[in-house]
Amino acid sequence: MYKLFFKRFFDIFIGLIGVVVFSPFFLIVFVTLVINNNGTPFFYQNRPGLHEKIFKIIKFKTMNDKKDKNGNLLPDDKRLTKAGQFIRKTSLDELPQIINLLKGDMSIIGPRPLLPEYLPLYNDRQRKRHLVKPGISGWAQVNGRNAISWEQKFEYDVWYVENYSFFLDVKIFLLTFLKVFKSDGISKEGQETTTKFLGNA
């Protein structure tokens, strides 16, 4: 019953509470990024969701659009602003995904939505991560986030798909706040952003 109905009810209930509780933070971050990013506070990107259906994810934009002399975007660590670094560290960049949540693109808990270019690189087991809606947080995020390998991350994702329940979702939900408070697993040591998935060896 939870998987068929109450999970969506749980998402909407938490999402509406999130709108009320986090609206002051949303406004502060919005104004900060309008100033820092020349009027472009949001970042939109296509991501695969349930059954690999593509949707447009919404996040706060933590990197600027500076380019080199050839017109190519600078590396991520060169474009990550000081304000963006703080916003990413505190996971405030994820707040606009409440819109995706209320629209039904995402769930509170589920495998994180990755890039469409990764779809052909998954093996059959890894592809199971798309049998549920992607989440704002997930089992992999509370077990290392970006500090663990892609293989470990996918194993956590698939384990979640095969075992999720109301009590597991509540556990992940509570652990997420602890991880955000401690700023655990934002990135691997020596890196500002996560590395790209290049496929299975």
Side-chain angles (χ1 to χ4, degrees):
M1 184 66 73
Y2 174 69
K3 295 181 180 182
L4 294 176
F5 174 74
F6 285 110
K7 185 172 174 67
R8 179 59 183 154
F9 175 82
F10 179 73
D11 289 340
I12 295 173
F13 178 72
I14 296 297
L16 292 175
I17 291 177
V19 169
V20 175
V21 172
F22 293 110
S23 55
F25 300 99
F26 190 100
L27 182 60
I28 292 170
V29 174
F30 177 84
V31 172
T32 300
L33 293 181
V34 164
I35 296 170
N36 279 265
N37 293 340
N38 299 316
T40 55
F42 297 116
F43 170 75
Y44 303 90
Q45 191 175 53
N46 287 336
R47 298 289 176 93
L50 179 64
H51 303 312
E52 303 182 4
K53 181 181 178 181
I54 302 298
F55 71 97
K56 199 171 291 290
I57 198 171
I58 310 169
K59 300 179 73 173
F60 276 127
K61 189 175 182 179
T62 56
M63 293 187 287
N64 59 41
D65 295 318
K66 290 184 177 179
K67 299 178 180 179
D68 60 23
K69 60 183 179 180
N70 297 317
N72 299 312
L73 286 173
L74 293 174
D76 289 353
D77 61 333
K78 301 293 184 183
R79 296 187 294 118
L80 185 62
T81 63
K82 287 185 178 180
Q85 196 169 27
F86 173 79
I87 290 167
R88 181 173 293 189
K89 183 178 180 181
T90 54
S91 296
L92 290 172
D93 59 318
E94 312 286 358
L95 280 181
Q97 289 170 53
I98 292 177
I99 298 171
N100 291 121
L101 175 72
L102 295 176
K103 285 175 59 183
D105 298 326
M106 297 178 65
S107 181
I108 286 287
I109 307 298
R112 285 293 296 161
L114 302 176
L115 298 174
E117 65 195 65
Y118 295 169
L119 291 175
L121 304 179
Y122 298 141
N123 60 35
D124 289 341
R125 178 165 175 77
Q126 292 167 349
R127 190 164 284 111
K128 286 184 178 181
R129 68 192 310 280
H130 292 290
L131 293 178
V132 298
K133 286 183 181 180
I136 294 176
S137 185
W139 189 232
Q141 280 58 56
V142 298
N143 282 286
R145 198 173 175 179
N146 292 328
I148 59 177
S149 70
W150 280 109
E151 288 74 17
Q152 289 173 307
K153 196 176 298 184
F154 291 143
E155 277 301 312
Y156 283 130
D157 287 344
V158 174
W159 184 89
Y160 172 80
V161 171
E162 295 174 342
N163 295 277
Y164 77 95
S165 65
F166 172 73
F167 293 106
L168 180 59
D169 279 4
V170 170
K171 178 180 179 179
I172 296 171
F173 182 77
L174 296 176
L175 284 173
T176 297
F177 283 95
L178 178 63
K179 291 290 182 178
V180 169
F181 179 76
K182 295 173 64 177
S183 299
D184 280 352
I186 301 297
S187 59
K188 289 186 179 181
E189 187 175 351
Q191 296 175 339
E192 294 293 340
T193 58
T194 189
T195 56
K196 283 193 171 185
F197 176 55
L198 301 177
N200 298 282

